[in-house]
Amino acid sequence: MSPRKYVYSFGGGKADGRGEMKNLLGGKGANLGEMSSLGVPVPSGFTVTTDVCTHYYANRRKYPAELAGQVERAIKKVEREMGTLFGDLKRPLLVSVRSGARQSMPGMMETVLNIGLTEATLPGLIAMTGNERFAYDSYRRLITMYSDVVMEKSAGIEPREGNGIRPQLEGLLEAMKRRRGVKEDNDLTTDDLKDLCAQYKAKVKKVLGSAFPDDPIKQLWGGLGAVFASWMGKRAIAYRRIEGIPAEWGTAVNVQAMVFGNMGDSSATGVAFSRNPATGENVFYGEYLVNAQGEDVVAGIRTPLPLNIAGKTDLTQTSTSLEESEPKLYKQLDSIQKRLEKHYRDMQDIEFTIQEGRLWMLQCRIGKRTGRAAIRMAVEMAAKRMISKEEAVARVKPEQLDELLHPMIDPKAEKAASILGKGLPAGPGGATGQIVFTPDLAEEWVIKEGRQVILVRHETSPEDVHGMHVAEAILTSKGGMTSHAALVARGWGKCCIVGCSDAHIDYKARTLTLGGVTLHEGDSITMNGTAGTIYAGTLPLVDVNLDDDKPFQQLMKWADAIRTMKVRTNCETTEDAMQAIAFGAEGVGLCRTEHMFFAEDRIRSIRKMIVAKDEKARRRAVMELLPHQRKDFMGILKAMAGKPVTIRLLDPPLHEFVPHEKMLVEDLAHDLGITAKELGTRISALHELNPMLGHRGC
């Protein structure tokens, strides 16, 4: 019996895996294999399957016995394809180690870049590239990521916020930039970076108690273990709970030859979408950074440049796009994205790197999108016969339709308000709330105190996901339309503005300064995520009118033609009945009479009925409800215009209509002209051990 296959190779126009093998290879691994088979330029690598993750957790974090040998053979294949050797002193191969679950979990699990770089292999990389600055820049990035991901997180070390090894190393970087009088990492010299690498290694040993491993094999297995461990990390668990992703799926791990976007001005890295993920417009859309690695774009460390002229905004009109600076490379990238969208028959989210003028594709996947974009894409793709009408309807999730019903800022109020600041419109709709600067406090204010909050950060990271989920909206001062905040917000249909460079956030003072105004934590702001505008205070929100939304109306017509189930509404008011008809309801499935009694103009009558001492008083109280109910039913029946209406007569536990707090009981007794004791006795008599039984049928 042949040993089980745990490692699948890809690269050089060949692949062991295919696009439909997502359950085994994860989304990233399956798509890397598929792209490689299509002849797309993909750096060689291999995928360690989700079966290994399952085995890892079922066997006390131990790997299958066959794995080490299969990994070793896969590395030899990568070496042959790339013409470099892992751990070699003259021509060292460097690799990235990335997670890849079967469903996209942006930023929730770990990545380590530049594995294989050590004090011994550094001279070889310098000789091979002729670029000493690049080599030390790559080394300091490896030390940062490895110490954070492998030596701290994977080891279960949980420092206080801001005290982790990564913030401490970034503190050394910022201090170096201040001493040199520069703003960007790119402005540091080779000697600065050499000095930083030495400082980083000393800090790692001091803070974490062990030295950064200067051994390629140890780095590789440390990276693999850290990715598997991150599947059960706090942020991954929180995200899976929100998205309904089963824990037993596990993650795959992708090991891939490094290609470098940080080798100078002829190198770059970027993230792009085959269509605009915020609006659904059929325009190639993305961002890139010159002389950077991929993490720089997603982390929002530097504000990226637009990929093409069509993607320029008010804030990036003067920026140079890739289309303008490198027209040949842009044309190649544009051709690949069109080919991938046609092949997968859906909008693609792609990552790419340009190394010294050569284009490499690092990832493609089905892109996350807003609800409005999802509908537009589905309808337009069906119109172009890329997909069927049935597929178009099935592609739009119910929660994406719900997103369209979310409010926007009242246009009249917005016109009269003065704009406090402006950023990139990363998530749709309007939102208002109190500003809060940490995800933990956001969660506390929303869950414990019932407040509405807007999470304000320099940039978000996967550790912020719990606070992002409860917030009404997210505002960041850094990052672009492909940053972590933008990706996650779009996936959830949440209002979001990123890259608001004028926003000065002071975490210590708990203040946000914008447009010359200083706001404190707890102050309210209003955001228009569709336009990217921010206003002080609370502006009124209004419901969206879908009558003029042609893609929405078209999708609903197709859904009506396909469906076999008829849909009725639950409603108790004329307004709700009219709204239901506008949404296509075919009658009222349930009109709950008792829900009509809670309004201020009639609750007193129902309470009088409950405390009545005899039938005459009870009948008199009930008859006070007659004009209200007559009006309600006339409105509902008129709105339904002959469609069926099912009415349920009074059927609640009666104690639901009366208060139970002492002060409120006294107020009601006074209002009803009886003593508080009499009312208290009546309320006690109504108490039920199981209120769901009620006075059913009586």
Side-chain angles (χ1 to χ4, degrees):
M1 185 176 160
S2 58
R4 192 167 180 179
K5 188 173 174 69
Y6 289 114
V7 177
Y8 286 70
S9 293
F10 57 82
K14 303 185 293 291
D16 297 340
R18 300 180 308 281
E20 60 266 28
M21 296 171 70
K22 287 184 179 176
N23 291 2
L24 182 67
L25 304 179
K28 191 188 292 281
N31 288 334
L32 284 168
E34 188 80 1
M35 280 199 293
S36 193
S37 298
L38 288 169
V40 172
V42 172
S44 296
F46 58 89
T47 302
V48 180
T49 67
T50 55
D51 286 347
V52 175
C53 188
T54 307
H55 184 283
Y56 179 81
Y57 282 107
N59 293 274
R60 298 184 179 181
R61 303 200 175 205
K62 287 187 171 60
Y63 299 117
E66 308 95 322
L67 184 65
Q70 290 185 22
V71 166
E72 196 175 323
R73 288 190 290 278
I75 288 174
K76 297 279 184 233
K77 276 190 184 180
V78 178
E79 289 175 337
R80 284 195 297 274
E81 288 291 342
M82 300 304 290
T84 49
L85 299 171
F86 192 63
D88 190 59
L89 303 188
K90 290 183 178 177
R91 293 190 61 75
L93 166 71
L94 305 187
V95 298
S96 62
V97 175
R98 303 172 192 261
S99 61
R102 67 171 85 169
Q103 184 174 324
S104 175
M105 294 172 60
M108 295 305 124
M109 290 179 294
E110 302 300 356
T111 292
V112 187
L113 305 179
N114 307 327
I115 280 178
L117 197 49
T118 66
E119 292 285 358
T121 59
L122 259 169
L125 184 66
I126 293 165
M128 198 166 80
T129 61
N131 191 332
E132 189 179 22
R133 190 198 178 284
F134 147 74
Y136 278 96
D137 183 50
S138 300
Y139 195 39
R140 67 104 186 161
R141 289 169 184 271
L142 170 63
I143 298 166
T144 303
M145 295 181 94
Y146 194 92
S147 60
D148 172 41
V149 168
V150 183
M151 300 176 73
E152 185 174 88
K153 289 195 181 91
S154 181
I157 299 168
E158 293 185 14
R160 291 197 315 275
E161 186 177 0
N163 281 8
I165 188 63
R166 184 185 279 265
Q168 292 196 51
L169 297 183
E170 285 170 352
L172 294 174
L173 175 65
E174 291 304 315
M176 174 70 78
K177 287 196 288 190
R178 279 196 302 275
R179 280 200 304 277
R180 296 289 180 262
V182 299
K183 283 191 172 183
E184 299 288 352
D185 304 358
N186 290 353
D187 296 325
L188 294 173
T189 66
T190 304
D191 287 339
D192 294 336
L193 292 169
K194 280 183 183 177
D195 188 8
L196 267 178
C197 288
Q199 288 183 44
Y200 276 21
K201 289 170 94 170
K203 178 66 81 173
V204 167
K205 187 159 190 184
K206 183 181 177 184
V207 173
L208 298 177
S210 55
F212 169 77
D214 240 15
D215 176 88
I217 297 296
K218 190 172 181 183
Q219 288 176 8
L220 176 63
W221 285 98
L224 283 165
V227 173
F228 284 132
S230 70
W231 177 252
M232 286 299 180
K234 280 183 181 176
R235 66 193 191 197
I237 290 169
Y239 188 84
R240 285 203 301 273
R241 188 176 66 246
I242 292 163
E243 292 286 308
I245 298 170
E248 57 269 21
W249 279 4
T251 183
V253 181
N254 299 288
V255 179
Q256 192 173 17
M258 282 296 302
V259 287
F260 300 96
N262 61 326
M263 286 183 77
D265 290 343
S266 63
S267 301
T269 187
V271 178
F273 300 87
S274 58
R275 298 179 188 227
N276 187 315
T279 66
E281 187 182 4
N282 187 7
V283 173
F284 187 31
Y285 183 89
E287 296 170 325
Y288 79 109
L289 280 171
V290 175
N291 197 12
Q293 284 198 328
E295 59 164 339
D296 298 345
V297 181
V298 177
I301 294 164
R302 288 158 57 193
T303 299
L305 303 167
L307 200 58
N308 49 24
I309 297 163
K312 289 189 177 185
T313 65
D314 293 344
L315 299 176
T316 56
Q317 275 304 321
T318 57
S319 303
T320 304
S321 67
L322 186 69
E323 183 180 15
E324 293 163 303
S325 63
E326 297 287 350
K328 279 188 181 175
L329 280 170
Y330 174 78
K331 194 174 178 183
Q332 184 190 0
L333 180 64
D334 189 32
S335 170
I336 289 170
Q337 67 89 10
K338 282 175 180 162
R339 192 174 164 204
L340 290 172
E341 182 176 278
K342 188 176 179 183
H343 179 77
Y344 284 102
R345 299 163 57 250
D346 204 349
M347 186 265 274
Q348 294 299 296
D349 170 356
I350 59 178
E351 289 179 20
F352 65 91
T353 285
I354 296 164
Q355 178 177 304
E356 296 189 308
R358 184 177 178 185
L359 177 66
W360 293 94
M361 303 302 294
L362 304 184
Q363 172 172 291
C364 77
R365 62 186 174 197
I366 305 299
K368 291 189 179 295
R369 62 206 74 179
T370 64
R372 191 170 295 281
I375 292 168
R376 180 171 176 177
M377 285 180 201
V379 169
E380 289 184 1
M381 285 180 181
K384 292 282 184 185
R385 307 209 170 177
M386 284 175 67
I387 58 175
S388 67
K389 291 173 184 177
E390 288 79 7
E391 282 177 288
V393 171
R395 230 172 233 191
V396 179
K397 298 175 185 174
E399 55 267 29
Q400 288 175 320
L401 284 175
D402 175 62
E403 208 182 292
L404 260 66
L405 311 180
H406 289 196
M408 56 186 275
I409 302 173
D410 183 332
K412 287 180 184 174
E414 188 168 16
K415 198 172 180 182
S418 55
I419 294 174
L420 201 60
K422 200 165 186 184
L424 298 171
T432 185
Q434 294 174 282
I435 57 175
V436 61
F437 296 105
T438 67
D440 290 344
L441 190 59
E443 195 172 53
E444 184 183 320
W445 278 11
V446 173
I447 294 171
K448 291 185 180 175
E449 301 179 28
R451 302 198 207 183
Q452 288 188 317
V453 305
I454 290 176
L455 181 64
V456 178
R457 306 284 284 165
H458 290 309
E459 67 258 355
T460 65
S461 72
E463 279 80 9
D464 301 330
V465 68
H466 56 295
M468 296 169 75
H469 190 246
V470 297
E472 298 295 310
I474 300 148
L475 171 65
T476 70
S477 61
K478 296 180 182 178
M481 296 288 275
T482 54
S483 64
H484 176 265
L487 286 171
V488 173
R490 267 199 300 275
W492 288 337
K494 196 175 286 285
C495 178
C496 178
I497 296 172
V498 297
C500 180
S501 54
D502 292 337
H504 177 73
I505 300 163
D506 188 331
Y507 287 145
K508 282 188 179 175
R510 302 276 185 171
T511 59
L512 164 67
T513 304
L514 194 56
V517 177
T518 297
L519 299 160
H520 295 83
E521 195 159 49
D523 288 345
S524 292
I525 58 171
T526 301
M527 285 169 42
N528 182 337
T530 307
T533 46
I534 306 147
Y535 305 90
T538 303
L539 297 185
L541 304 179
V542 294
D543 291 331
V544 177
N545 179 12
L546 293 173
D547 293 343
D548 300 326
D549 190 322
K550 288 179 183 175
F552 173 79
Q553 296 298 338
Q554 182 63 74
L555 192 79
M556 291 298 100
K557 281 179 188 171
W558 291 344
D560 272 344
I562 294 162
R563 70 191 171 98
T564 55
M565 184 173 72
K566 292 184 177 181
V567 179
R568 296 182 185 176
T569 184
N570 284 3
C571 73
E572 292 79 28
T573 68
T574 304
E575 294 75 24
D576 285 351
M578 289 168 72
Q579 183 68 75
I581 287 295
F583 285 144
E586 295 169 288
V588 177
L590 181 61
C591 174
R592 298 156 292 197
T593 317
E594 65 270 19
H595 283 207
M596 296 173 159
F597 300 147
F598 286 101
E600 282 298 316
D601 61 355
R602 63 198 76 176
I603 187 69
R604 191 171 185 272
S605 300
I606 200 79
R607 285 169 171 171
K608 279 160 69 177
M609 185 273 290
I610 290 169
V611 300
K613 293 177 181 175
D614 53 51
E615 188 180 343
K616 190 176 177 182
R618 189 168 297 119
R619 187 171 292 277
R620 192 165 58 243
V622 167
M623 292 309 288
E624 288 178 13
L625 295 170
L626 182 60
H628 298 296
Q629 286 212 284
R630 184 181 283 134
K631 184 182 173 188
D632 288 346
F633 283 126
M634 282 295 290
I636 291 168
L637 294 169
K638 191 175 178 182
M640 287 296 136
K643 293 181 173 66
V645 177
T646 304
I647 298 164
R648 184 175 76 191
L649 300 181
L650 181 60
D651 197 32
L654 293 179
H655 75 278
E656 289 182 3
F657 291 103
V658 289
H660 296 272
E661 292 81 4
K662 186 182 176 188
M663 193 168 75
L664 294 175
V665 169
E666 287 171 354
D667 286 348
L668 179 59
H670 180 265
D671 191 38
L672 295 174
I674 59 175
T675 65
K677 187 178 179 183
E678 283 178 286
L679 180 57
T681 302
R682 182 72 181 120
I683 291 169
S684 296
L686 290 171
H687 177 75
E688 296 152 23
L689 198 61
N690 183 351
M692 296 322 293
L693 290 174
H695 290 287
R696 299 294 185 236
C698 298

